[in-house]
Amino acid sequence: QVQVVESGGGLVQAGGSLRLSCVTSGRTFSHYAMAWFRQGPGKEREFVATISGSGDYTYHTDSVKGRFAISRDNAKNTVYLQMNSLKPEDTAVYYCAASRATTRAMAFTPSDVVDAWGQGTQVTVSS
């Protein structure tokens, strides 16, 4: 069973940057599509970005396009989320997820396909 552990959250001023990391256990990391989700105060968890197992395909939700970038290093079993031009509305707990399903399924039906969720890392953006 794959396990995922996030890190890199923290407090940052609006306009600043953070890079989240997610390390995954196991020897078949490249077989997993990976994704980031977030849950803001009083909100439901929402999709942020996903990346294919090879890293060739990425998809970001509209609210973060041009500001956030998902990437992965399969040699290190790690997926990243580079977050630039952060806004107070980006404040949330960010979760990493792994799935053997497609990136499309990860983006639109995560509850059906995610194999493992991380514990989350808090990102707070002050105005």
Side-chain angles (χ1 to χ4, degrees), residues 34 36 39-40 73 76 99 105 111 116 118:
M34 301 296 295
W36 288 95
Q39 186 167 15
D73 184 339
K76 296 182 178 179
S99 174
S111 60

Side-chain angles (χ1 to χ4, degrees), residues 21-41:
S21 299
C22 170
V23 178
T24 303
S25 64
R27 293 176 290 179
T28 59
F29 179 61
S30 63
H31 293 182
Y32 287 85
M34 301 296 295
W36 288 95
F37 295 80
R38 67 186 180 185
Q39 186 167 15

Side-chain angles (χ1 to χ4, degrees), residues 6 15 18 27 30 44 71 79 81 99-100 111 119 121:
E6 308 96 334
L18 279 175
R27 293 176 290 179
S30 63
E44 294 186 353
S71 63
V79 63
L81 184 68
S99 174
R100 288 163 292 181
S111 60
Q119 81 289 350
T121 186

Side-chain angles (χ1 to χ4, degrees), residues 6 20 36-41 45-46 48 90-96 118-124:
E6 308 96 334
L20 305 183
W36 288 95
F37 295 80
R38 67 186 180 185
Q39 186 167 15
R45 186 155 51 188
E46 65 173 351
V48 176
D90 294 317
T91 294
V93 178
Y94 283 71
Y95 297 91
C96 179
Q119 81 289 350
T121 186
Q122 177 70 48
V123 172
T124 303

